[in-house]
Amino acid sequence: ISETYNLGELKGMVALVRRIVIGTLAVELTGAILCSFVFVPEYGLAKGMFCALFHAVSAFCNAGMDIIGEQSLIPYAQNLWINLITMLLIILGGLGFPVWWDVLDTFRQQKQKQISLQKKVHHLAVHTKIVLVMTGALILVPAIFFFFFEYQNPETIGTFSLFGKIQASLFQSVTTRTAGFASVDQGKLTNASSFLTLILMFIGGSPSGTAGGMKTTTIAVLLCTVLCMAKGQNFTSIFQRKISPEIIRSALCVVMLGLVTLVTACMCLMAAENFSFLDILYEVMSALATVGLSRGITGQLCIFSKLVLVIVMYIGRIGPITMVVAIMRKNQKNTVRYDLPNGRIIVG
C-alpha cells in the first residue's frame, strides 16, 4: 500500500485504508439500491435485495460472478437501467483509488477559486490523466468496432433495436476489461469481435483498482515510448512530463511476464484438450486478466487444464503488481558499482 500510494512511510496508513473502505462501501451500497429497483419486482424483496447487493459488489470488484442464472446478464441485454448501473460500477472499480482521490481533491481545492474546467483538468496528476484518457478511449473506440462487427449477427445483437445494439456494444466494451459479465453469448461472437475482446482483456483496467490485466498505464507508457521514438526523441514524455527509464522497463517486464504466462498456459491446454485455438486462447486470456468470460468450454476441461487456469489466474492477479514493486524498490545491496562496455545489437 505504501508503494502504491507513494506514502514513503507508514504514517497515515490507517486513515488511507479507512478512506478506501468507506468509499468502497458507499459505491457498492448505492449500486445495490439502484439495482434493487429491477431485481426486487422480479424476485421479491428478500431475494431481490440479495441479488442486487451481490451484483453490485461483483460489478464494482470486477469479479463477474452472479447468482442470476447460467446466462449471466444475457436476459438483461436490453435493460438500460441494469446495463448502465453495472457499467458505472465496473468503471469506478477499474479506475483505481488514486484516481478517485486525485479527481475529488483537485475539484474540491479548486472549487472556491472559480477557475475553468480546463484549468482543473490541468491540475490533475499525470497518472490520473493517463487513466482517464485510456479508459475513455478503450470504452468508446472498441464499442464502435463491436457495433459494426456484430450488427448483422443474429446470434448476438443482430435482432436488437438500434439503441439496443449501441447499448450492448458499450457493455461488451466495458465488461471485457476484466469485469466478466456477459450480455451476449461469447461463443457466438464473430472472429473479429473475439480478437478485439482478447486485446481488451489483455489490457485490463488501471493500477490500484479492482480490475486485472496488464493495466492501462502500462500500455500507455509503451505506446508513448514508441511514438516518441518515431518522432526522434531520446526520451518518453506524456502530457508534457518526462517518464523515467525505470517506469518504461517496469512496463516492459509486466507485458513480457504476461505474454510468457499466456503462451505457456496456452501450450499446456492445447496439449491436454481438443478445443479450437480461439477457444483455448480466449479461456487462458480471460484467466490471466481475471476476467471470467468464457466461450463455454470451462466445464469441459480436464483437471490438469483447470489447475493450469488456477495458476494463471493467481499470476494474473498478483504477478504484475509484485513484479513492478520488486523492480522499482531500491535495493542498496544489489547496487552495481561498475559499468560495462556497450554492446551493439541489431533489432527490428
Side-chain angles (χ1 to χ4, degrees), residues 44-219:
L45 182 60
K47 185 178 179 180
M49 288 299 297
F50 183 73
C51 285
L53 180 60
F54 192 98
H55 181 76
V57 173
S58 182
F60 177 78
C61 293
N62 279 236
M65 303 179 72
D66 66 81
I67 54 175
I68 298 172
E70 293 182 359
Q71 291 185 305
S72 190
L73 294 183
I74 293 178
Y76 300 93
Q78 298 191 71
N79 187 307
L80 177 61
W81 188 254
I82 289 296
N83 277 262
L84 183 61
I85 300 305
T86 305
M87 285 191 290
L88 287 175
L89 287 170
I90 292 170
I91 293 170
L92 286 174
L95 286 177
F97 297 108
V99 175
W100 283 27
W101 311 142
D102 188 34
V103 171
L104 292 174
D105 292 342
T106 298
F107 276 74
R108 187 183 298 116
Q109 293 172 4
Q110 304 297 329
K111 185 176 181 181
Q112 298 178 346
K113 298 182 180 180
Q114 297 182 350
I115 61 176
S116 63
L117 178 62
Q118 183 178 358
K119 291 184 178 180
K120 289 181 180 179
V121 172
H122 178 73
H123 284 84
L124 293 174
V126 175
H127 172 84
T128 302
K129 293 177 183 178
I130 295 173
V131 169
L132 294 178
V133 170
M134 287 291 290
T135 300
L138 289 172
I139 292 174
L140 296 178
V141 176
I144 295 173
F145 282 103
F146 280 127
F147 179 81
F148 287 108
F149 291 157
E150 301 297 323
Y151 189 86
Q152 295 182 329
N153 186 356
E155 301 290 341
T156 54
I157 68 174
T159 59
F160 291 4
S161 64
L162 178 61
F163 183 77
K165 291 177 180 179
I166 296 174
Q167 177 179 289
S169 298
L170 283 169
F171 190 88
Q172 178 72 11
S173 181
V174 171
T175 193
T176 50
R177 291 179 44 246
T178 86
F181 292 107
S183 62
V184 296
D185 190 338
Q186 300 299 296
K188 302 296 178 58
L189 292 172
T190 62
N191 289 337
S193 293
S194 297
F195 184 71
L196 180 57
T197 299
L198 290 170
I199 295 174
L200 293 176
M201 287 195 292
F202 186 77
I203 296 174
S206 301
S208 305
T210 59
M214 300 301 104
K215 303 299 185 293
T216 55
T217 49
T218 302
I219 304 302

